[in-house]
Amino acid sequence: MKKSNSTTATSATVLAAAAKLRDRVDELDFSTTIPWVYNPLRYAWAAHQQYVQRYARSATRTLLLGMNPGPWGMAQTGVPFGEVNIVVDWLKIDAPIGKPPAEHIKRPIEGLQCRRSEVSGRRLWGLFRERFESPAKFFENHFVANYCPLVFMEESARNLTPDKLPALMRQPLEAICDEHLSELVEALRPKWVIGVGGFAEDCVKRVLAARPPQGFAVQTGRILHPSPASPAANRDWAGTASQQLVAQGVWSQ
């Protein structure tokens, strides 16, 4: 399908904002407290670029926002919630994936050859694939992004989410990510911004309150995060998330 000029301009704006985000978070120093930090917008930039250029478009009805990359999802593929099989087989991303400057032995970056499956991404994109059948139908009215592009790990390789960072590190990161989210909303002009989980919803509300969009209204909402760490998510997550989107008026029955 040939892209319109407005879609091409929008994807270019979104990509430029992502490049600025990529570079600005790389200037932050977490080394005194956090031993391992990956930036997939750096080493998986070509894949992220493909994702944005193909699928970001203006007047996106619904922007779904996650927290930050998972070790077997976006960390491997450069795509938000990017479970490898979905990224390769459904989204048809085929870009080369590089390596971070230093890798934890338990969290190697194997890119699109990674055999591990990110459960959160498999659930999220699996719901979209089942409901919309093709990426073209899904992205006609949706886009998926993350609030923070960085992966944080403890020495044990345990995942560390952005909300658990020390305040002196979290606050500068939030300032950068808040600005990027504002730029993303201005570029996509969504009717809805839906947080995937409570943290993302809180970020959306904070950013929209501090930087109200110009010339259009945005409604906010939330769906249950698909993480297997959540007992509720392990009981028919797809059904629960669908019901939440219908109840909020984002999806029709």
Side-chain angles (χ1 to χ4, degrees), residues 64 127-128 194 223 240-251:
L64 295 117
L127 169 60
F128 301 153
I194 301 296
I223 60 172
T240 299
S242 296
Q243 290 171 6
Q244 290 174 325
L245 290 167
V246 169
Q248 293 170 95
V250 182
W251 285 359

Side-chain angles (χ1 to χ4, degrees), residues 2 32 40 52 154:
K2 185 177 181 180
T32 57
V52 170
E154 299 175 351

Side-chain angles (χ1 to χ4, degrees), residues 63-68 81 120 124 128 143-146 193-202 204 221-227 237 241 244-245:
L63 170 62
L64 295 117
L65 188 76
M67 180 187 296
N68 73 312
F81 288 95
S120 295
L124 188 83
F128 301 153
F143 191 70
V144 180
N146 270 331
V193 182
I194 301 296
V196 183
F199 174 86
E201 182 190 29
D202 290 344
V204 170
R222 169 183 174 180
I223 60 172
L224 177 67
H225 197 285
S227 170
W237 175 85
Q244 290 174 325
L245 290 167

Side-chain angles (χ1 to χ4, degrees), residues 23-233:
D23 295 344
R24 291 186 68 193
V25 296
D26 266 353
E27 294 172 357
L28 301 176
D29 184 7
F30 302 96
S31 61
T32 57
T33 303
I34 305 165
W36 300 94
V37 181
Y38 291 1
N39 184 358
L41 289 185
R42 179 67 62 191
Y43 61 82
W45 176 252
H48 190 76
Q49 184 177 36
Q50 272 192 20
Y51 171 70
V52 170
Q53 288 176 335
R54 289 183 185 179
Y55 299 122
R57 59 195 65 228
S58 64
T60 293
R61 188 173 187 275
T62 305
L63 170 62
L64 295 117
L65 188 76
M67 180 187 296
N68 73 312
W72 313 115
M74 185 174 177
Q76 302 291 335
T77 66
V79 175
F81 288 95
E83 197 271 341
V84 174
N85 293 321
I86 292 284
V87 168
V88 173
D89 298 334
W90 199 57
L91 299 180
K92 304 298 183 184
I93 301 296
D94 59 0
I97 308 293
K99 293 273 192 178
E103 285 181 288
H104 195 294
I105 191 171
K106 294 182 180 178
R107 295 292 183 268
I109 298 303
E110 299 172 320
L112 302 183
Q113 285 71 50
C114 179
R115 296 183 179 181
R116 293 285 296 267
S117 177
E118 180 98 331
V119 175
S120 295
R122 188 170 71 242
R123 288 174 173 172
L124 188 83
W125 286 108
L127 169 60
F128 301 153
R129 180 170 59 178
E130 180 178 353
R131 183 178 178 94
F132 295 94
E133 296 182 1
S134 72
K137 290 182 179 179
F138 173 74
F139 287 104
E140 183 177 352
N141 289 302
H142 301 78
F143 191 70
V144 180
N146 270 331
Y147 171 73
C148 172
L150 299 178
V151 182
F152 301 99
M153 289 174 283
E154 299 175 351
E155 194 59 62
S156 65
R158 180 174 174 267
N159 192 49
L160 188 68
T161 53
D163 56 315
K164 299 299 192 297
L165 298 177
L168 288 177
M169 293 182 176
R170 188 182 69 250
Q171 290 166 357
L173 176 65
E174 282 183 349
I176 293 170
C177 294
D178 282 5
E179 182 177 333
H180 173 260
L181 177 55
S182 178
E183 292 173 347
L184 191 60
V185 170
E186 291 288 347
L188 297 176
R189 302 177 67 85
K191 178 179 179 180
W192 286 94
V193 182
I194 301 296
V196 183
F199 174 86
E201 182 190 29
D202 290 344
C203 292
V204 170
K205 289 182 174 180
R206 180 180 67 245
V207 168
L208 292 180
R211 301 174 173 87
Q214 301 301 306
F216 62 102
V218 179
Q219 299 179 67
T220 65
R222 169 183 174 180
I223 60 172
L224 177 67
H225 197 285
S227 170
S230 164

